[in-house]
Amino acid sequence: MLKTTIELEKAATILKLLGDKTRLAMMKILDKHDCCVCEFVAIFKTSQPSISQHLRKLRDLGLVKEERRGQWIFYSINKSNEYYPFIQQILEQLPSQDDKLKDLEEQGTRISCC
Amino acid sequence: MLKTTIELEKAATILKLLGDKTRLAMMKILDKHDCCVCEFVAIFKTSQPSISQHLRKLRDLGLVKEERRGQWIFYSINKSNEYYPFIQQILEQLPSQDDKLKDLEEQGTRISCC
DNA sequence: TTAGTATATAATGATATGCTTATATATACA
DNA sequence: TGTATATATAAGCATATCATTATATACTAA
């Protein structure tokens, strides 16, 4: 168990952000693998702008980082964020979302860009 | 670390519920002490209906239980809820809210009903 | 029974959220 | 340069959320 505590209001802000199934699944996936936007678009049944908007919210709080690699923009968990330990403890309790990525690989979608 | 995992959609629902500073503080307080509604009304700067509505949401998901004691209705954490371990790990990382209760005692407000 | 206290619920309104469509920007490549 | 691809942003809309005020219900005690 972690000893550190986190200010309650800040915790509420983070939990609210994680309290959306798309963002929560994104964070769970990102905790293990970097991903580009097109992968998320393929994984979740929603539009590209919707994915971008979710990522922006996560980025605005510093929970994820973005990095351009050529044509693509890869997102990764920001492990140096001061709230990462708090978030990680939550993510650890969630089932792996690797099956979602695996489905993409089988479809060949993941290989197309990443 | 807990071994159990929790369905992702259910986790998102719970996190969304906890993603409100009033409800999150309530849960943190309830994790240590039972409380009646009038205490919460005194602690938080909001109306009694607002408090009741927050408690209803927590109750609807089975996160808290209510118990009438005469004129008052006491709320307590529902430790037998299947998601309690998940919630507890989150609450553990938050700072104690005992100061809020202490303030009430000093004002004499807590003693009035509880 | 009546008055007072504690709590819940209903109705309403302001603001937030999350999606969609349309468009802008940046890169890759022929 | 022109076209295609990847991503971000803007605008608009439907729905959700959270507070407030008003009212209903339940219990207590005179």
Side-chain angles (χ1 to χ4, degrees):
Chain A
M1 175 192 151
L2 283 174
K3 298 275 170 26
T4 48
T5 60
I6 173 174
E7 195 212 337
L8 192 127
E9 274 199 44
K10 189 72 189 187
T13 302
I14 289 170
L15 294 173
K16 188 190 207 165
L17 211 62
L18 298 181
D20 172 278
K21 66 179 196 292
T22 302
R23 285 192 297 265
L24 189 60
M26 282 175 161
M27 289 295 285
K28 178 69 185 181
I29 291 169
L30 289 174
D31 198 36
K32 290 284 174 282
H33 322 269
D34 294 3
C35 268
C36 68
V37 179
C38 61
E39 285 179 298
F40 285 132
V41 173
I43 288 171
F44 300 106
K45 319 271 189 239
T46 185
S47 66
Q48 173 271 315
S50 172
I51 295 296
S52 279
Q53 286 158 14
H54 282 303
L55 286 167
R56 187 186 216 290
K57 287 180 186 179
L58 294 172
R59 204 184 51 201
D60 283 351
L61 243 78
L63 271 41
V64 302
K65 293 181 296 186
E66 59 167 17
E67 182 201 345
R68 181 174 281 276
R69 295 186 203 162
Q71 200 167 357
W72 299 284
I73 296 182
F74 275 73
Y75 281 84
S76 57
I77 284 263
N78 182 5
K79 299 203 176 182
S80 62
N81 182 287
E82 74 176 297
Y83 305 108
Y84 176 66
F86 176 67
I87 291 162
Q88 194 185 26
Q89 282 224 349
I90 294 168
L91 298 179
E92 269 173 7
Q93 295 178 73
L94 303 178
S96 167
Q97 301 294 303
D98 285 355
D99 53 337
K100 295 207 170 71
L101 284 174
K102 210 166 183 181
D103 291 348
L104 288 193
E105 272 165 29
E106 281 161 15
Q107 293 165 28
T109 320
R110 183 155 208 247
I111 296 129
S112 74
C113 67
C114 310
Chain B
M1 173 193 151
L2 283 174
K3 299 277 171 24
T4 47
T5 58
I6 173 175
E7 194 211 336
L8 191 126
E9 274 199 44
K10 189 73 190 186
T13 303
I14 289 171
L15 294 173
K16 186 190 215 167
L17 210 61
L18 297 181
D20 172 276
K21 66 180 197 292
T22 302
R23 284 192 299 262
L24 189 61
M26 281 176 162
M27 288 296 284
K28 178 70 184 179
I29 292 169
L30 288 175
D31 198 36
K32 289 285 174 283
H33 321 269
D34 294 3
C35 267
C36 67
V37 178
C38 61
E39 284 179 300
F40 286 131
V41 172
I43 288 172
F44 300 106
K45 318 271 190 242
T46 184
S47 64
Q48 173 269 317
S50 173
I51 296 296
S52 278
Q53 285 158 14
H54 282 304
L55 286 168
R56 187 187 216 290
K57 288 179 185 178
L58 295 172
R59 204 184 50 199
D60 283 352
L61 243 78
L63 271 42
V64 302
K65 292 181 296 183
E66 61 167 15
E67 181 201 343
R68 181 174 282 277
R69 295 188 204 160
Q71 200 168 359
W72 300 284
I73 295 180
F74 275 73
Y75 281 84
S76 57
I77 286 262
N78 181 6
K79 299 201 175 181
S80 63
N81 183 288
E82 73 176 298
Y83 305 109
Y84 176 66
F86 176 68
I87 291 161
Q88 193 185 27
Q89 282 223 348
I90 294 167
L91 298 179
E92 269 172 7
Q93 295 178 72
L94 304 178
S96 168
Q97 301 295 302
D98 285 355
D99 52 338
K100 293 207 170 73
L101 283 175
K102 211 167 182 179
D103 290 350
L104 288 193
E105 272 165 29
E106 279 161 15
Q107 293 165 29
T109 320
R110 183 156 207 248
I111 297 132
S112 76
C113 66
C114 311

